[in-house]
């Protein structure tokens, strides 16, 4: 594997990165939490997460600007006085998906901040095996990335944004951080003030294997078939799709784990805390219907705001709403994410 993640990745649509951005890409080792060194190769087999960071406009020195950046130079390239917004991709996506990369670029410009997006384990250029609905594993990935930004880059994380399944991971992180703070306030230290839920699903009680898989198949414009039901019950897994030459499989245990996701539990952990959540959702979303966004808004969270995009689909109609998304995030973080 390359020491620096490349722009494109086998099995994914070609990247459509914005032009005129100052970006650096690198790997961070998942298991070496306290290291200030960015791994250029595997560290005793530790899984690595592929990251790309768009630097705040004009924040790199003239001597560095425009130069190719290698992993060992990342710390020197990043202006630690600028905040970081972390952007998380969704189901079957990766950090260079058009929506994710352009959202990161638009936010960096609108907020004059750095934005860091990364591939969850088993996706894109990150190490590890792909797993269906890997909420716990992806939560651990996000913990690692936040820790890296704070401890190694010495930057403040003012906001974490997630799209679709990434939004669920982001909200799980918000709940985890507040739960940890309640257990031991002195041990937690700084917490993330703002989170953005882009087209995330509201997980209610009564989810079944069939309902969960039907949602996933909709993302591929397909359906969960009787043959797949039989295959899952007989073998404990089903063949899902191919990514390049790799056959992705869905394991029964992972589907069962997905049925246990509970938005009310997440909301309970965040309630009566300073955490601020902005929910962005399109009213034409067929993967995660907009009613879920309205449930978040009706939950009574003290610092929740909802913005619905008319005729917006699950991916917010490509780049159509990019300026609106960026300005909404900027205004929200300015309102709730103060030092």
């Amino acid at each position: 594997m390359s020491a620096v993640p490349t722009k494109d990745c086998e099995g994914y649509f070609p990247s459509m990165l914005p032009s005129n951005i100052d970006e650096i890409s690198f790997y961070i080792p998942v298991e070496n939490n306290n290291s200030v060194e960015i791994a250029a190769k595997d560290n005793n087999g530790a899984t690595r997460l592929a990251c790309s960071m768009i630097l705040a406009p004009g924040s790199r020195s003239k001597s560095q600007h425009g130069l190719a950046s290698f992993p060992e130079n990342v710390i020197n390239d990043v202006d630690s006085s600028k905040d970081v917004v972390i952007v998380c991709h969704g189901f079957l996506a990766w950090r260079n998906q058009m929506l994710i990369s352009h959202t990161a670029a638009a936010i960096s410009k609108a907020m004059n901040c750095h934005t860091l997006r990364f591939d969850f384990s088993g996706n894109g250029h990150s190490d590890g095996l792909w797993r269906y609905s890997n909420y716990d594993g992806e939560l651990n990935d996000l913990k690692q990335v936040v820790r890296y930004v704070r401890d190694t880059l010495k930057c403040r994380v003012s906001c974490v944004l997630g799209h679709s399944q990434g939004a669920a991971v982001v909200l799980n992180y918000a709940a985890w951080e507040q739960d940890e703070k309640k257990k031991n306030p002195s041990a937690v230290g700084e917490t993330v003030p703002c989170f953005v839920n882009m087209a995330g699903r509201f997980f209610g009680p009564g989810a079944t294997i069939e309902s969960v898989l039907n949602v996933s198949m909709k993302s591929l414009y397909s359906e969960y078939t009787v043959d797949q039901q039989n295959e899952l019950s007989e073998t404990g897994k089903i063949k899902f799709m191919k990514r390049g030459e790799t056959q992705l499989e869905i394991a029964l245990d992972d589907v069962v784990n997905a049925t246990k996701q509970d938005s009310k539990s997440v909301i309970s952990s965040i309630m009566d805390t300073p955490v601020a959540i902005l929910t962005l959702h399109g009213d034409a979303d067929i993967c995660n219907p907009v009613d879920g966004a309205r449930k978040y808004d009706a939950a009574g969270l003290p610092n929740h705001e909802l913005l619905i995009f008319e005729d917006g689909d699950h991916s917010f109609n490509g780049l159509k709403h990019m300026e609106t998304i960026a300005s909404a995030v900027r205004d929200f973080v300015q309102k709730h994410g103060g030092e």
Side-chain angles (χ1 to χ4, degrees), residues 309-331:
F309 293 78
E310 184 177 359
D311 297 325
D313 62 17
H314 190 58
S315 295
F316 295 86
N317 308 90
L319 304 181
K320 179 179 179 181
H321 302 293
M322 199 52 58
E323 289 188 10
T324 303
I325 290 171
S327 61
V329 173
R330 177 199 62 208
D331 295 346

Side-chain angles (χ1 to χ4, degrees), residues 5-8 13-21 23-25 52-54 94-105 117 319:
T6 54
K7 183 175 71 172
D8 291 315
F13 288 112
S15 61
M16 299 181 64
L17 297 177
S19 58
N20 301 320
I21 59 171
E23 177 176 277
I24 50 181
S25 295
S52 291
M53 192 170 195
I54 297 174
W94 70 310
R95 73 186 195 285
N96 284 347
Q97 179 197 20
M98 182 174 70
L99 174 65
I100 298 301
S101 60
H102 281 262
T103 296
R117 61 195 195 277
L319 304 181

Side-chain angles (χ1 to χ4, degrees), residues 86-90 100 120 159-171 195-200 278 280 316:
I86 296 173
V87 180
C88 302
H89 68 76
I100 298 301
F120 285 117
C159 180
V160 184
L161 175 153
H163 175 248
S164 193
Q165 182 168 309
V169 176
V170 163
L171 295 181
F195 297 87
V196 180
N197 164 21
M198 288 185 69
L278 172 64
L280 308 176
F316 295 86

Side-chain angles (χ1 to χ4, degrees), residues 55-183:
L55 301 181
S59 66
R60 239 204 288 203
S61 68
K62 291 182 179 179
S63 63
Q64 295 169 323
H65 188 77
L67 297 178
S69 184
F70 294 93
E72 58 270 19
N73 296 330
V74 173
I75 298 172
N76 296 328
D77 289 347
V78 176
D79 180 354
S80 61
S81 70
K82 300 292 186 181
D83 284 0
V84 172
V85 174
I86 296 173
V87 180
C88 302
H89 68 76
F91 181 60
L92 295 176
W94 70 310
R95 73 186 195 285
N96 284 347
Q97 179 197 20
M98 182 174 70
L99 174 65
I100 298 301
S101 60
H102 281 262
T103 296
I107 290 173
S108 178
K109 181 180 178 180
M111 294 178 58
N112 191 27
C113 69
H114 309 306
T115 55
L116 189 154
R117 61 195 195 277
F118 67 99
D119 295 329
F120 285 117
S121 296
N123 293 272
H125 291 114
S126 289
D127 294 340
L129 297 175
W130 180 86
R131 286 181 58 191
Y132 176 79
S133 297
N134 186 23
Y135 294 106
D136 292 341
E138 293 183 356
L139 173 59
N140 287 331
D141 290 345
L142 180 53
K143 290 177 186 178
Q144 169 68 25
V145 171
V146 173
R147 187 183 301 114
Y148 175 82
V149 172
R150 288 174 176 163
D151 296 349
T152 302
L153 299 183
K154 307 300 182 184
C155 291
R156 176 176 180 262
V157 180
S158 60
C159 180
V160 184
L161 175 153
H163 175 248
S164 193
Q165 182 168 309
V169 176
V170 163
L171 295 181
N172 286 344
Y173 179 89
W176 168 80
E177 204 170 54
Q178 292 304 311
D179 286 342
E180 291 298 301
K181 186 175 181 180
K182 292 170 188 175
K183 292 176 188 176

